[in-house]
Amino acid sequence: MIHTMPALGPALPEIVLALSAIGLVLYGALAGEKSVNTVNGLAIAALFAALVLVILGSDDAVTFNGSFRVDAFARFLKVLALVGAGASLAMSVDWLRIEKQSRFEYAILVLLSTLGMMMMISAGDLLALYMGLELMSLALYVMAANNRDSVRSTEAGLKYFVLGALSSGMLLYGASLIYGFTGSINFIEIAKAAQEPSRGLIFGIVFLFAGLCFKVSAVPFHMWTPDVYEGSPTPVTAFFASAPKVAAIAVFMRVAIEALPHVTPQWQQILVFVAIASMALGAFAAIGQKNLKRLLAYSSIGHMGYALVGLAAGTEEGVRGVLVYMTVYLAMTLGTFACLLAMRRKDGMVETTDDLAGLARTSPVMAFLLAALMFSLAGIPPLAGFLAKYYVFLAAIKAGLYTLAVIGVLSSVVGAFYYLRVVKVMYFDEPAGRFEKMPTELRAVLGISGAFIILLFFYPAPLLNAAGAAARALF
């Protein structure tokens, strides 16, 4: 029996990242700690090269016996994941150097984690999904504990690892049940076999979705998020909050829409519950938070709830809404963390809301852009955050999920309180002192994010068209 070599063209961006990671490990091991700047620069170049290859790549390619798929949906989300990873790495370089935590392994972990995300996004079966998920997660566990001298960082890494292992076990159990009751691990074959859902298959879906809910930090699998966000080094938290969320939501959509289209009423119930719980917890739990990283952790739980509202609709319009939402969420998150990383005074980093007091007088441009980001996170028009929520709620209403949409709007109103409190502190409180000069990388990320969320409302057509084409590819 002759085995032919699978076509490697569709996986070229992933191959570039894998070879770059291997090459940089060897270079870093030989050159030692003085290789940090070179490794960081080459890692960012590798992410950029992968981004170019994704953009120029062809649609509708399948390889590795259907385990790896490239379509408009995969390309759209890979672009988001690579932009999130590249921006997070660029923002972290200066911070890690000043905090004396700069090690060449950090950039390599970002590359490996991003490679896992891209494999997840292109997964055509449950095994490829699990491999991508574990590659992403193992790198993230190490990154959370990157600061070896900090008890909080070590605790964050350990907590994330233990709970992550538990969620991986649940996901694997769910995958094995789905395989057992459908006879296949391929998403398209599962869809054909699952015309009449059995009780065992529904159990499998529950466990699979539980594992995926952990990865997007949706309630009730959110418990790790505030502690890991607060304990991890700030650039690591910026990475956690951006690219991995995009990849996990991508897998959620591919599994739900592609593998389980005939079981929509069953998984819809799960997503409606998870979305309502996440939006409510994100709105109420953040009210008492003074630490900005914890506040953003609860904020991200809420935002994943809003994104799942679009997916719960189970329609092409709902998926388009989720894609628009994740694009806007990525821009808002990166911009907010650029401000958080710039909160440095002579005696070190600060990260509480009170430290932003009077920022409008000491640094008016940063205060203006951060205020715009906060208004956008709250979903106030005419900023991009309003547009994102509009499309997911509209999809939910058209699918008849009126209660879900109403609860989403009410949660947005409650959540606006803590975002507007940050704006009030910046504009109306007495200045707490001037921050150090903002590094160029942070300025660039903040400027681009700010411009995107302010201007998107006036010209959303390119994003809507790209998201629409990606959603059609999934259906």
Side-chain angles (χ1 to χ4, degrees), residues 140-318:
L140 293 180
Y141 301 148
V142 182
M143 287 169 72
N146 183 53
N147 183 3
R148 297 171 211 162
D149 304 322
S150 163
V151 175
R152 278 168 62 195
S153 179
T154 311
E155 182 192 341
L158 195 60
K159 193 172 282 185
Y160 191 28
F161 171 68
V162 171
L163 292 169
L166 176 70
S167 78
S168 292
M170 292 170 80
L171 187 134
L172 263 183
Y173 184 56
S176 64
L177 280 172
I178 291 171
Y179 171 64
F181 284 92
T182 61
S184 177
I185 57 169
N186 184 283
F187 292 159
I188 292 165
E189 295 301 318
I190 290 169
K192 287 176 187 169
Q195 304 273 3
E196 292 293 322
S198 62
R199 191 167 292 172
L201 178 64
I202 291 164
F203 262 101
I205 293 166
V206 169
F207 278 103
L208 186 74
F209 275 31
L212 293 175
C213 281
F214 178 89
K215 298 302 173 191
V216 297
S217 64
V219 177
F221 305 97
H222 65 285
M223 56 294 245
W224 60 274
T225 317
D227 293 338
V228 172
Y229 272 41
E230 187 183 8
S232 302
T234 309
V236 176
T237 308
F239 183 61
F240 276 12
S242 53
K245 292 277 169 42
V246 170
I249 285 284
V251 172
F252 231 133
M253 288 193 279
R254 201 180 274 286
V255 170
I257 303 297
E258 204 169 78
L260 305 166
H262 305 297
V263 203
T264 302
Q266 282 79 7
W267 60 251
Q268 199 174 47
Q269 293 172 34
I270 302 170
L271 289 190
V272 166
F273 166 73
V274 166
I276 289 173
S278 300
M279 291 186 296
L281 185 103
F284 288 100
I287 290 173
Q289 301 301 326
K290 292 286 186 190
N291 183 292
L292 281 167
K293 279 156 74 174
R294 283 188 85 85
L295 188 145
L296 289 169
Y298 285 112
S299 165
S300 85
I301 292 167
H303 283 289
M304 290 305 104
Y306 297 121
L308 291 174
V309 168
L311 179 55
T315 60
E316 190 180 307
E317 194 171 354

Side-chain angles (χ1 to χ4, degrees), residues 389-433:
K389 284 181 181 169
Y390 170 76
Y391 283 112
V392 290
F393 291 154
L394 187 67
I397 289 166
K398 286 189 177 176
L401 303 172
Y402 304 113
T403 309
L404 183 60
V406 169
I407 291 171
V409 172
L410 293 174
S411 299
S412 284
V413 173
V414 175
F417 169 78
Y418 56 82
Y419 295 123
L420 298 181
R421 186 176 61 194
V422 174
V423 178
K424 173 257 173 192
V425 167
M426 290 193 296
Y427 278 87
F428 298 108
D429 288 12
E430 285 302 311

Side-chain angles (χ1 to χ4, degrees), residues 412-464:
S412 284
V413 173
V414 175
F417 169 78
Y418 56 82
Y419 295 123
L420 298 181
R421 186 176 61 194
V422 174
V423 178
K424 173 257 173 192
V425 167
M426 290 193 296
Y427 278 87
F428 298 108
D429 288 12
E430 285 302 311
R434 194 177 289 274
F435 293 134
E436 300 276 286
K437 192 181 175 195
M438 202 176 200
T440 312
E441 300 90 349
L442 298 184
R443 277 193 211 169
V445 172
L446 178 58
I448 293 166
S449 300
F452 179 81
I453 61 140
I454 291 166
L455 301 175
L456 180 71
F457 191 85
F458 303 103
Y459 189 52
L463 175 60
L464 292 177

